[in-house]
Amino acid sequence: MPLANKRPGGRILPPRRLIPQIEPHQQFEKIALAINEIYKHNVSQLSFEEYYRTAYNLVLSKNGPLLYNSLRTVLETHMRESVERDILQHAHTADSNPTIENNEAFLFSVRLLWSEHVTAMLMIKDILMYVDNVYVKTAHLPSIYEMGMCVFRDSVLLSSTDGGGGGLGTRVAKAVLHQISGERNGEEINRSTLQGISNMLVELADTANPMKTVYEVILEPQLLSESRVYYRDMAALRIKTMGASEYARAAQANFDAEAGRVQAYLALTTAELLRGVLQDELVTAYAPDILTIPDDGLTQMLDRRDIPALGVLYSIYSPLPQPLGILRSGVMNHILALGGQITASLLASDSGEAKNGDTPQAKPEAAPDASLGIAAKTAMALRWVQDVLALYDIYDEFFHKSFNEGTSMRSAINDAFIEVINANSRAPELLSLFMDDNLKNGLKRKAEQDVDHLLERSVLMFRLLKNKDAFEHYYKIHLARRLLFARSESDDAEHSLVSKLKVECGSQFTLKLEGMFKDMQLSTDMARELRGSSEYPALGLDLNVSVLTPTFWPAMAPAPAPQSSSQTAGEQSAATNGKRDDDPMSVVLPSGVLSDSVDAFSAYYLKHHSGRRLTWQYAMGNADLKVQFGARSHELNVSTYQMIILLLFVDSDTSSLAKALTTAKIQTLTHIPEEPLARQLQSLACGKYRILNKTPKSRDVSPTDSFTFNMDFKSPQYRIRIPVVSARSNIETGKEKAASQAVIGQERLYLIEAAIVRIMKTRKQMLHDALVNETISQLSSRFLPSSKMIKEGIGKLLDREYLQRSPENPRLYNYLA
C-alpha cells in the first residue's frame, strides 16, 4: 500500500510547556515564609531547590519587579521589628547611663543583628541567584545582597528611632567613642564587639555619597574630633609636669596605643588620620617647648647621653618636617656649643692662658722655659683634635642608635662639625699634627681594629675640613720627618692613610705623598746596591743617604730630635736631587773622614746619574758618635748639626778637647744658620745631657758665649740620645704660621691660575661672574677661593696673555691659545 506524501518544508515544534497558573503573590508568600525561617535559624527544614524554582518561575512570568520589591519590603519589616524587639531597650539604657557595660550591651545587640542579617542575606542570595543573574542585571538594580545591605543601613542605622538621641547609627557612633574613651582612661572593653561594629560600618556605603562608607561619615569624623580635644588637653598638662624624655615616652606610648586600636577594631584607613591628629597635638604644637623644658630638655638628654630617650624623641619628631627641623637645630646648637668650649680652651692656651696642670711634666734640664710653653700648647692642640673626634664619636653613636641613621640628622651633625672644625684656623695643622703623633707613637700596642678606627676618624675630620690644601702642606712636612728619621710606627698604617686620602680627594692630591714613599724606597735600594759595590769602602764610615726629589718634598724645617739606630758610628743625611741649588747657606763640614765621605758619595751618585745635582740638607740628618769622656766612653745619637759642632772640639794635632769656642766662632767655622745653631748649642750645653760647658751659665745663647767640651760628663747609660730643643713636631709659632700661610697662599694662586686656564681652554669665552663661579666650583674640594684671589689670578693671566678682554665687553674674557 503506498505511503502518504509528507508536506514539503514541514518542521516539528517543541511541546508546549504548561506553567501552572498560580497567583504571583501566593508564589512570593512561599519565599517570604522561607526568609522568615532563615532569620529564625530553621534552615534545615527548607528546600532551597524549591524556592529557587519558585523565584525562577516568577521571573519567567515577568514578575521580577514584584519579587524584588516585595523582598525589600519583607526585609525592611523584619529589620524594624528586630530593632524594636532586640536593640532599642539597650539603646535607651546606654543613653541614660552610658557605662562601659551598657554601651557594650547596646553595641553587641547591633552587632548580633548585623551578623544574623549578613548570614541570612548570603542564603537569600543563593535562593534568588536566578533573579540576580537575569532580572537584576537587565533592570540595572543593586544585587540582592547589596539591596539587603542598603535595607539594613536605612532601616537600622539611618532611620529615625523613638526620639532617644537621633538615628541608631548616631547612637552607635556615640557608644563606640565612649568605649574608646574608656579604654584610653584605662578601662577594660570588649574589642571584639567594636571590631564587628567597625566592619559593619565599613561595609555599608553612604546614602548621599556611595564612594564613602558609613564608617567615614558617622564615626571617623567624630573619632578624630574627640581625639584632637583629648590629646590637646593631655599635651597642655604634660608640658607643665613632665621632662622632655618623659614627655617623648608618653607621646610614643600614645602613638603605639592608637595604632593598636586601629589594628584591633578600627578601619585601617583611620590609622594615618589618627596619627596626624596625635602629631599635631602632641608634637607639632609643642615642638620647641619640649626641647627646652628646664632641667630636662634636649640639652640635658644629650649631655647625659640618654640614647633610648633620644631615640624615642627622634621617632616622634622625624615624620614631621617642622619638628624635625627644630630637633636638627637643637642638636647642631649643642654640638656648636660643646665644640666652641673645646676650641676656647685651645685658644686660651695659644694666648698663654693655659690653666694649671695643662703643661705636661718635664724635667727643667730638658729645655728652656719657652720650650715648655710650646710643649704645653702642642699637648693642648693634640687634645683639641682628640676632644673633637671624641665628641663626633658620641654623636655618631646617637646617629646610629638614636636617630635611626636618618640622612637629615647625618647632615645636621656633619654641618655642625664642619662649622666647629673650620672655626679654628689652625685645624689643618692640628689634624696633621695629631696624625703625626699617632703614627709615631700612638699605634703601639693597639689592635688592628683600633688602628683602622683611628685612621678612619682622622680621615673623617679631614673630610670635614674646608682648607684641605693647608692640611696637605702640613702633612707633607710631618710625613717627610717621619720618613727621613724612621719615626713611623707602622709602614702599613702610613700607606693605608694615604690610600684613604686618595679615595677622598683623588690621585692628584696624594701624588706628592706617594712620590715621597717612592723616593724612600729608591734610596733604600740604592743604599743596598752601594754596600754591595766596590766603592763602598771609599766612604770611610757607614753613611746612609736619602735622595729626595725636590718637587715631592716640602722645604724642610729644622730636624726633630734624632732617632737612635743600630749603627755604632755613622751618619744619616738627606740630599735633594734636582736641577737647581736652593740651599740658602752651604754648611761647612770639618775636614777629614766626614767631608771625604760626602764627596765620595756625591761622586758615586753622579757617576750613576749624570746630569743631576745634589743639594745636601744637613739639617735633616742624624749621626751616631762614639765619644770618650775620661775613662768611660758613650755612644751619642745626635743631629748632623750637633755632630759638626762636636767635631770642632777635636784637635787633629793633639786630640785635645780642652779648647774653647764662642758662638760666633762656631758659626763662622760651620756656617750653620743662627737660629738652628742656638738650639743645637742649647741642646748640647743646657739640656739634660750637658756634653758642652757654657760660659756664662744661662739658657740664652749669645754670639759671645763660650763653649768647651765637658770631659767630666757622666751618665749611667751607655747609649744617649741628645734631644734638640723645640725641634720635635710642635704647633707653629705666630711667625712660623705666617710663613706657612704665605706658602699656602702662593700655592693657592698657582691652583687658581691653573683652574682658570683649564676652564677657559674648554669654554674659549666666558663672562667674569661665570668664570669666578666655575673656578670656585672646581677648587672647593681643596679650599674655598675668594673672589679677590680669583680676580688677582685673572689679572696675572691677562698680563701673561693667556686671556684677553673682549673689546665689546670688558667683563668678557677670551682664551688665547
Side-chain angles (χ1 to χ4, degrees):
M1 174 174 186
L3 296 175
N5 293 330
K6 294 183 178 180
R7 293 173 53 188
R11 60 191 181 118
I12 301 176
L13 298 177
R16 294 181 62 188
R17 303 181 68 179
L18 301 177
I19 301 176
Q21 297 299 316
I22 303 176
E23 211 279 329
H25 289 284
Q26 293 181 4
Q27 289 183 307
F28 179 75
E29 283 300 324
K30 294 173 60 177
I31 296 176
L33 290 174
I35 291 173
N36 288 330
E37 291 301 316
I38 289 174
Y39 276 109
K40 292 177 182 179
H41 308 294
N42 295 326
V43 181
S44 61
Q45 306 298 324
L46 301 177
S47 172
F48 276 49
E49 182 182 356
E50 178 184 351
Y51 299 116
Y52 177 88
R53 189 178 300 111
T54 301
Y56 172 81
N57 291 332
L58 283 171
V59 173
L60 285 182
S61 61
K62 308 299 182 181
N63 287 301
L66 170 67
L67 172 59
Y68 190 87
N69 294 328
S70 298
L71 174 62
R72 185 183 185 98
T73 302
V74 169
L75 294 177
E76 289 174 345
T77 302
H78 180 77
M79 289 298 103
R80 286 194 296 270
E81 292 174 352
S82 298
V83 168
E84 293 174 358
R85 181 182 66 248
D86 302 327
I87 295 177
L88 284 182
Q89 182 58 43
H90 294 298
H92 294 326
T93 304
D95 289 339
S96 59
N97 185 19
T99 63
I100 296 294
E101 294 76 13
N102 291 339
N103 283 317
E104 164 64 23
F106 168 50
L107 294 174
F108 182 80
S109 65
V110 175
R111 179 196 174 193
L112 181 62
L113 177 60
W114 164 257
S115 178
E116 291 177 347
H117 179 65
V118 169
T119 303
M121 287 308 303
L122 291 174
M123 296 180 184
I124 294 170
K125 180 189 71 170
D126 291 340
I127 292 174
L128 305 179
M129 185 183 300
Y130 187 77
V131 181
D132 265 341
N133 293 336
V134 177
Y135 170 71
V136 168
K137 282 186 178 181
T138 304
H140 303 293
L141 295 172
S143 69
I144 298 297
Y145 182 84
E146 291 173 351
M147 182 263 288
M149 297 300 103
C150 293
V151 167
F152 186 91
R153 176 196 65 198
D154 299 335
S155 302
V156 177
L157 298 181
L158 302 185
S159 66
S160 299
T161 54
D162 57 351
L168 200 63
T170 303
R171 298 160 79 177
V172 166
K174 182 178 178 181
V176 170
L177 295 175
H178 191 278
Q179 296 297 87
I180 294 174
S181 177
E183 187 181 49
R184 285 171 177 168
N185 292 321
E187 298 185 53
E188 288 286 338
I189 65 170
N190 188 335
R191 287 189 163 194
S192 176
T193 299
L194 294 183
Q195 182 184 31
I197 294 295
S198 294
N199 291 340
M200 173 190 74
L201 298 177
V202 168
E203 189 168 344
L204 298 175
D206 181 55
T207 305
N209 186 358
M211 299 302 295
K212 287 190 174 183
T213 65
V214 175
Y215 176 93
E216 293 175 291
V217 174
I218 69 172
L219 178 59
E220 192 173 68
Q222 295 185 62
L223 171 63
L224 298 176
S225 177
E226 290 195 8
S227 298
R228 187 174 296 278
V229 174
Y230 175 80
Y231 284 109
R232 181 180 300 157
D233 295 340
M234 177 179 289
L237 177 63
R238 285 177 178 173
I239 201 68
K240 298 176 182 177
T241 59
M242 292 183 175
S245 57
E246 186 181 3
Y247 186 101
R249 289 190 174 95
Q252 185 60 56
N254 294 139
F255 280 106
D256 295 341
E258 296 301 334
R261 290 186 186 97
V262 172
Q263 194 68 31
Y265 56 78
L266 295 174
L268 296 179
T269 56
T270 305
E272 193 63 31
L273 298 173
L274 190 55
R275 184 175 181 84
V277 169
L278 269 68
Q279 289 172 338
D280 290 343
E281 302 303 331
L282 296 180
V283 183
T284 303
Y286 294 98
D289 303 318
I290 297 169
L291 303 186
T292 56
I293 293 176
D295 302 325
D296 190 17
L298 176 63
T299 299
Q300 289 73 25
M301 294 168 67
L302 293 170
D303 286 340
R304 64 175 180 262
R305 298 176 67 175
D306 193 344
I307 291 176
L310 286 170
V312 175
L313 184 68
Y314 176 76
S315 68
I316 65 175
Y317 272 62
S318 58
L320 307 169
Q322 182 182 357
L324 179 60
I326 296 171
L327 177 62
R328 291 177 77 255
S329 298
V331 171
M332 289 181 67
N333 290 336
H334 191 258
I335 295 173
L336 294 175
L338 294 180
Q341 294 174 11
I342 295 172
T343 303
S345 63
L346 174 67
L347 296 178
S349 70
D350 202 24
S351 60
E353 300 173 1
K355 297 179 181 179
N356 293 336
D358 286 346
T359 303
Q361 293 182 356
K363 296 184 179 180
E365 298 83 4
D369 293 338
S371 171
L372 291 175
I374 294 176
K377 292 179 182 180
T378 302
M380 291 289 289
L382 294 175
R383 190 158 74 242
W384 179 82
V385 180
Q386 292 169 348
D387 290 347
V388 170
L389 290 179
L391 184 63
Y392 190 94
D393 282 338
I394 292 173
Y395 277 88
D396 194 53
E397 185 179 22
F398 290 155
F399 171 72
H400 290 289
K401 297 182 179 180
S402 298
F403 301 147
N404 198 29
E405 300 185 358
T407 55
S408 178
M409 295 308 297
R410 169 58 79 196
S411 173
I413 292 171
N414 284 349
D415 289 347
F417 274 94
I418 287 173
E419 189 170 340
V420 167
I421 292 170
N422 292 282
N424 183 1
S425 61
R426 288 187 179 270
E429 176 194 359
L430 302 188
L431 177 58
S432 179
L433 195 63
F434 174 79
M435 292 181 178
D436 179 65
D437 184 73
N438 278 282
L439 289 169
K440 289 191 300 187
N441 309 309
L443 303 183
K444 294 178 181 178
R445 296 180 298 277
K446 280 190 176 181
E448 182 178 351
Q449 184 177 1
D450 296 332
V451 172
D452 191 62
H453 176 77
L454 179 66
L455 297 181
E456 286 288 350
R457 280 293 177 258
S458 299
V459 173
L460 168 70
M461 193 167 181
F462 165 77
R463 185 183 306 138
L464 302 179
L465 280 175
K466 291 182 179 178
N467 296 327
K468 293 181 173 60
D469 61 328
F471 169 84
E472 180 189 13
H473 169 80
Y474 290 108
Y475 189 79
K476 284 194 298 185
I477 294 175
H478 292 143
L479 175 61
R481 290 173 179 170
R482 290 197 302 274
L483 294 179
L484 292 177
F485 295 100
R487 297 294 300 275
S488 190
E489 188 69 25
S490 168
D491 291 339
D492 291 340
E494 291 281 6
H495 287 282
S496 175
L497 183 55
V498 172
S499 297
K500 293 178 185 296
L501 295 175
K502 186 175 184 178
V503 171
E504 288 294 324
C505 290
S507 58
Q508 192 65 32
F509 184 86
T510 58
L511 179 64
K512 293 183 179 180
L513 304 179
E514 292 172 337
M516 294 164 71
F517 286 115
K518 183 178 180 181
D519 278 351
M520 295 305 296
Q521 182 60 48
L522 293 175
S523 296
T524 301
D525 296 342
M526 182 185 64
R528 184 170 54 252
E529 294 174 1
L530 176 59
R531 283 183 171 82
S533 69
S534 58
E535 299 167 284
Y536 183 70
L539 296 179
L541 51 79
D542 190 1
L543 184 67
N544 185 19
V545 180
S546 297
V547 181
L548 316 178
T549 305
T551 54
F552 295 153
W553 296 76
M556 303 308 297
Q563 181 71 18
S564 300
S565 69
S566 60
Q567 302 167 0
T568 58
E571 176 191 7
Q572 179 179 346
S573 301
T576 56
N577 171 16
K579 296 293 184 181
R580 69 184 193 278
D581 185 352
D582 54 2
D583 191 12
M585 189 174 191
S586 298
V587 175
V588 178
L589 299 179
S591 59
V593 177
L594 181 59
S595 59
D596 293 342
S597 297
V598 170
D599 292 340
F601 179 84
S602 298
Y604 168 81
Y605 182 82
L606 297 175
K607 175 183 175 181
H608 292 80
H609 301 86
S610 60
R612 296 185 182 180
R613 178 180 298 176
L614 287 178
T615 301
W616 290 84
Q617 300 284 344
Y618 298 110
M620 301 306 298
N622 65 78
D624 289 336
L625 300 177
K626 189 172 183 180
V627 182
Q628 189 74 29
F629 296 93
R632 185 173 180 182
S633 62
H634 290 278
E635 187 176 308
L636 304 182
N637 180 241
V638 295
S639 69
T640 305
Y641 280 169
Q642 290 172 338
M643 176 190 66
I644 294 172
I645 293 170
L646 290 177
L647 290 178
L648 294 178
F649 290 92
V650 176
D651 191 319
S652 58
D653 299 328
T654 62
S655 299
S656 171
L657 299 174
K659 61 182 178 181
L661 296 173
T662 64
T663 305
K665 182 65 174 176
I666 294 174
Q667 185 172 18
T668 301
L669 294 174
T670 63
H671 287 193
I672 297 175
E674 181 178 350
E675 184 179 348
L677 175 62
R679 289 190 290 103
Q680 306 295 332
L681 291 173
Q682 280 180 335
S683 301
L684 292 170
C686 304
K688 179 179 179 180
Y689 304 104
R690 300 192 176 186
I691 309 302
L692 300 179
N693 292 321
K694 178 179 178 292
T695 305
K697 294 188 178 300
S698 64
R699 291 193 175 274
D700 295 332
V701 176
S702 65
T704 58
D705 289 347
S706 177
F707 296 88
T708 59
F709 190 81
N710 183 13
M711 291 294 295
D712 299 326
F713 173 78
K714 293 181 181 180
S715 175
Q717 301 172 337
Y718 171 73
R719 183 173 177 79
I720 301 171
R721 184 173 65 88
I722 309 297
V724 179
V725 172
S726 300
R728 64 187 185 87
S729 297
N730 285 315
I731 188 171
E732 287 183 332
T733 63
K735 182 178 179 181
E736 292 169 339
K737 182 180 178 182
S740 294
Q741 290 300 320
V743 173
I744 294 170
Q746 188 60 48
E747 291 176 350
R748 287 180 175 178
L749 285 177
Y750 294 150
L751 292 173
I752 289 172
E753 291 180 14
I756 293 172
V757 170
R758 284 197 305 271
I759 295 168
M760 292 300 298
K761 190 173 183 179
T762 304
R763 304 290 184 87
K764 305 301 182 185
Q765 189 179 70
M766 284 189 78
L767 287 170
H768 176 83
D769 292 341
L771 179 58
V772 169
N773 293 335
E774 183 68 20
T775 304
I776 293 174
S777 175
Q778 286 201 12
L779 296 177
S780 58
S781 61
R782 291 178 63 88
F783 67 97
L784 192 63
S786 65
S787 298
K788 181 179 179 181
M789 295 177 68
I790 297 175
K791 185 176 181 181
E792 182 180 347
I794 293 174
K796 291 185 177 181
L797 292 174
L798 288 170
D799 294 339
R800 299 204 300 270
E801 297 185 353
Y802 281 91
L803 305 180
Q804 182 185 56
R805 293 185 187 274
S806 171
E808 294 81 12
N809 185 355
R811 296 185 64 81
L812 182 65
Y813 303 116
N814 296 318
Y815 176 71
L816 299 179

